Amino acid sequence: MKKIFSIMAVAGALMMTSCDKWLDVNDNPNTPNTKVPSVDLRLPSIIARFAEAYESGGTRAAIISQQLAGTTANNWALSRWNISTAAVNWPYQPWYIYTANNIPDLIEKGEATGANHYIGAGKIIWAWGFAAFSDMYGMLPYEEAFQGGLMTPKYDQGDLIYEKCLAELDQAIEYLQKGQDAAAPALSVGDHLFKGDTKKWIALANGIKARMLNHLSKTDKFNAAEVLALLEKAPKTAAESALYQYQDRAVSTKPETESLQYQNNSSNRLTKLYIDYVLGNYTGAPTGANNMEDPRADLLIPRFIATGLRTPGVDMSVIPESGFGSTITSYAALRPTANVSTGSVYVAAGAKGLLLTSSEMHFIKAEVLFNQNNKAGALQAYKDGIKDHMEILGVPAAKITSYLASSSVQQSASALTLSQIMIQKYIALSYSPEVFNDVRRLEFCTDASGKYNESVGIYKGLKRPGAVFTIALPSEDMWPRRFTIASYSINYNYDQVIKADPDAADATYTAKRIWWDVKK
């Protein structure tokens, strides 16, 4: 018996040696492995999966920021600021498993084939995702995230991740400015975001940098001049914006091509706060003799088709702990549904995903100029932000012109307020992760004590929910500041989580400010 096992062992060793030599010099195109797919086959999936991860984070950010309220267990938990591990798992999984995990292979293949533009696009998505998810979670595995065989990578804080990502974006721009080898596939073959337009990718990289550096507005690292300089190289028109086009299954025959917000919002409803903002019904809103309803209203706020009436909004300040599931039929569905609801343009099956827009860039400029006391420049940027968002949503040009000239839009530079700028930006950032970044960076609607104060706060009417989860936020001066740690890390990498931040085990962890969200 021993002899038989010895013969088998020798034969097996010879076979493995032979196979190893064969594998060293061959990539069988008929056998899947990480080396086979070409860059033009990899990039479409990476872009699609990034949009999924980013927009999934956006749904959650919209709920926490009170644009939306939910009825499912996880979404109602988020609505009352019980930011549980189960509620924030999904953005983490499609980012790490389906997106970031594939980018190093894209870059390696690009380097081997001289596909410099694909390398640039890959580096942008890498930096964009890690920066965005570090904003959500505060800390992430980064430096050790994809080290082969390491199942318990260390967690890195967001400031380190920002430093690394800004460098990646600079490298990405350099690659996009280079030519490609003659045999490399044109970027247009695999680019479903900008159809191969490297200038738009470069503008996107600069826009991401401007967004990131504007997050530092409360820190000693903030450099207003640098942000403004980046904005000059970022998207300036609706046509330059990063918009991911989804497809209705009626067109594609595949449900997975439908928009993320369509998939995520079957039972979510708009809040009263969001509707009030769109309709200009908030303290300090521009008003006058020439008021006009915002022409985005019927694109954003559903109507009941049977009655033609516009939906009311869920008033999160009074909804009890039991939620509003029993009265959900009182609120029109966000999904456009024949004979039921007109829905929201963001939640249509074939909607666009607004990943980074010129509108957002204009509002960043308006905020920076306002804080520099350049009120005239801020007013123009505020109007440009409104205009570009309307163009992206398809509002007719004549209606845009009329609305921008109306008294429902601030016309006086001296009367312009930061609240008016940021509330318009809040609308333009519907369903975006950035809306949560802004509401915490601008301190919700609080005064220096951290408590709600409508007279001095920025986001008028954004109050702690009536059914606020007091275990996590026990006092009136506590507000949500981050996502909690995803359950995957709690279950399988707990020691590294606690090593990076011992407070992660606390019930009040989601009220802990991330690195750029300092208290002033």
Side-chain angles (χ1 to χ4, degrees):
M1 182 67 72
K2 287 183 179 179
K3 185 177 290 187
I4 292 173
F5 278 133
S6 297
I7 293 169
M8 290 177 66
V10 171
L14 290 170
M15 187 179 296
M16 288 302 295
T17 302
S18 176
C19 287
D20 285 344
K21 289 181 179 177
W22 184 83
L23 288 171
D24 282 343
V25 296
N26 290 276
D27 279 326
N28 184 350
N30 298 314
T31 304
N33 66 61
T34 61
K35 308 300 180 185
V36 168
S38 57
V39 289
D40 54 304
L41 294 179
R42 281 191 181 277
L43 186 59
S45 176
I46 288 171
I47 293 172
R49 286 301 201 172
F50 169 73
E52 175 183 1
Y54 184 80
E55 288 224 278
S56 291
T59 308
R60 289 152 179 81
I63 294 172
I64 297 168
S65 304
Q66 292 188 9
Q67 294 183 340
L68 304 174
T71 57
T72 64
N74 285 337
N75 287 346
W76 174 241
L78 288 173
S79 300
R80 57 189 295 249
W81 295 350
N82 175 12
I83 307 174
S84 66
T85 56
V88 297
N89 268 342
W90 188 247
Y92 193 92
Q93 180 172 328
W95 168 244
Y96 273 98
I97 305 302
Y98 307 135
T99 310
N101 188 46
N102 288 299
I103 295 174
D105 288 324
L106 169 74
I107 292 172
E108 183 180 347
K109 197 74 170 183
E111 289 171 341
T113 58
N116 293 322
H117 298 164
Y118 284 86
I119 296 172
K123 283 181 173 288
I124 287 174
I125 296 172
W126 175 275
W128 192 359
F130 271 110
F133 289 101
S134 73
D135 292 335
M136 295 178 206
Y137 295 93
M139 62 178 188
L140 295 170
Y142 182 84
E143 290 190 318
E144 296 180 356
F146 300 108
Q147 289 187 8
L150 181 61
M151 301 302 292
T152 55
K154 71 182 179 74
Y155 265 69
D156 297 302
Q157 294 295 336
D159 55 346
L160 181 142
I161 295 171
Y162 260 48
E163 178 184 340
K164 302 288 186 181
C165 289
L166 287 167
E168 289 286 339
L169 289 167
D170 287 337
Q171 291 175 21
I173 292 170
E174 291 176 6
Y175 274 102
L176 287 160
Q177 289 172 333
K178 295 179 180 180
Q180 295 206 120
D181 284 4
L187 182 58
S188 58
V189 178
D191 176 14
H192 293 176
L193 190 59
F194 292 127
K195 296 181 173 57
D197 190 331
T198 56
K199 291 181 180 179
K200 289 182 179 179
W201 278 101
I202 291 170
L204 171 62
N206 285 308
I208 295 167
K209 290 175 66 178
R211 173 195 277 178
M212 291 170 64
L213 295 182
N214 194 53
H215 291 165
L216 312 186
S217 61
K218 295 189 293 187
T219 76
D220 58 7
K221 297 178 183 293
F222 181 66
N223 185 329
E226 186 175 6
V227 173
L228 291 173
L230 286 166
L231 290 172
E232 288 302 308
K233 298 180 285 187
K236 292 183 178 180
T237 66
E240 295 174 297
S241 300
L243 311 175
Y244 186 75
Q245 182 63 63
Y246 295 97
Q247 277 191 318
D248 191 316
R249 76 172 73 185
V251 176
S252 69
T253 71
K254 298 175 182 178
E256 58 267 24
T257 67
E258 293 175 327
S259 80
L260 242 293
Q261 302 311 333
Y262 178 86
Q263 296 179 48
N264 285 354
N265 287 290
S266 62
S267 61
N268 292 335
R269 297 295 184 264
L270 291 184
T271 64
K272 180 179 182 297
L273 179 75
Y274 181 85
I275 293 173
D276 284 346
Y277 280 3
V278 174
L279 299 180
N281 295 329
Y282 61 89
T283 300
T287 189
N290 186 31
N291 282 355
M292 175 181 171
E293 182 174 273
D294 192 318
R296 293 170 293 185
D298 279 337
L299 296 172
L300 301 175
I301 306 170
R303 290 182 183 270
F304 294 100
I305 290 177
T307 63
L309 296 176
R310 189 170 277 160
T311 186
V314 179
D315 188 345
M316 285 304 302
S317 67
V318 299
I319 296 293
E321 191 171 323
S322 58
F324 65 98
S326 62
T327 60
I328 191 171
T329 56
S330 301
Y331 307 97
L334 284 166
R335 285 182 173 180
T337 309
N339 303 317
V340 177
S341 173
T342 60
S344 164
V345 68
Y346 278 90
V347 189
K352 296 182 180 73
L354 279 61
L355 306 181
L356 185 144
T357 68
S358 58
S359 174
E360 179 191 347
M361 300 296 104
H362 292 312
F363 284 121
I364 292 174
K365 183 176 182 179
E367 177 191 349
V368 173
L369 293 178
F370 182 91
N371 288 329
Q372 291 182 327
N373 204 34
N374 181 349
K375 301 296 180 62
L379 180 67
Q380 185 59 56
Y382 151 83
K383 288 185 174 183
D384 289 342
I386 297 171
K387 175 182 71 68
D388 279 17
H389 186 239
M390 289 185 173
E391 288 180 355
I392 289 167
L393 297 190
V395 175
K399 288 187 176 182
I400 296 174
T401 300
S402 296
Y403 183 70
L404 290 176
S406 76
S407 52
S408 296
V409 173
Q410 184 56 257
Q411 302 297 330
S412 167
S414 61
L416 181 67
T417 67
L418 186 58
S419 179
Q420 292 168 353
I421 293 169
M422 298 311 297
I423 286 174
Q424 278 295 335
K425 187 182 179 190
Y426 178 101
I427 297 167
L429 291 175
S430 297
Y431 308 80
S432 169
E434 280 302 299
V435 74
F436 183 40
N437 292 337
D438 277 350
V439 297
R440 50 187 162 147
R441 184 171 60 84
L442 276 294
E443 302 293 344
F444 294 85
C445 190
T446 64
D447 56 25
S449 73
K451 296 181 180 179
Y452 183 83
N453 186 329
E454 195 158 312
S455 64
V456 299
I458 299 298
Y459 293 96
K460 312 297 186 182
L462 204 173
K463 303 175 182 178
R464 284 163 50 99
V468 66
F469 188 61
T470 54
I471 294 174
L473 302 159
S475 63
E476 292 293 319
D477 61 349
M478 296 178 75
W479 303 78
R481 298 288 175 176
R482 64 171 71 210
F483 288 6
T484 195
I485 303 297
S487 66
Y488 314 112
S489 292
I490 297 296
N491 293 337
Y492 304 111
N493 199 17
Y494 183 76
D495 289 347
Q496 291 287 9
V497 170
I498 298 304
K499 185 178 180 180
D501 189 350
D503 293 339
D506 294 349
T508 58
Y509 179 63
T510 55
K512 182 176 181 176
R513 294 168 181 265
I514 70 168
W515 72 281
W516 50 252
D517 185 22
V518 297
K519 186 173 183 179
K520 295 188 74 172

